[in-house]
Amino acid sequence: LLLPSLAGLRAPAAGVARLLDDDVGGLPRREAARRVALLPQDLEPNPGASVLETALTGRYAHQGPWGGDDAQDARIALEALRRLGGAGHA
């Protein structure tokens, strides 16, 4: 399973999972989460969450211990949605 291995959630069956020449298994969890965010398709959806709120969960690893800059996080999440063609759903 490639994506869980690249996200550092599962050890590869053989060899090493590399992302930008780094062994994902050797990265601190927070650094791996900053590089790869994975939203599994088999999770039960949160019916009250908007597309933007769901996208903002990917900003968690970029925040400090007391949270982050909400406006900056929203700008980054909206830009990511725009690039993926999903900004109209935010």
Side-chain angles (χ1 to χ4, degrees):
L1 298 169
L2 178 62
L3 291 178
S5 294
L6 285 176
L9 299 174
R10 157 178 272 162
V16 174
R18 293 198 172 277
L19 182 64
L20 301 174
D21 292 329
D22 291 321
D23 174 2
V24 175
L27 293 173
R29 291 286 311 137
R30 190 170 191 90
E31 182 59 29
R34 285 181 178 142
R35 295 183 187 197
V36 177
L38 178 66
L39 182 60
Q41 299 301 301
D42 58 351
L43 289 180
E44 192 67 31
N46 180 350
S50 69
V51 171
L52 178 58
E53 289 168 333
T54 301
L56 283 168
T57 63
R59 297 293 304 154
Y60 177 76
H62 299 273
Q63 298 175 348
W66 293 279
D69 179 340
D70 292 342
Q72 180 181 2
D73 287 337
R75 279 192 302 276
I76 292 168
L78 283 169
E79 174 61 18
L81 288 171
R82 185 193 66 73
R83 287 181 181 198
L84 296 170
H89 302 287

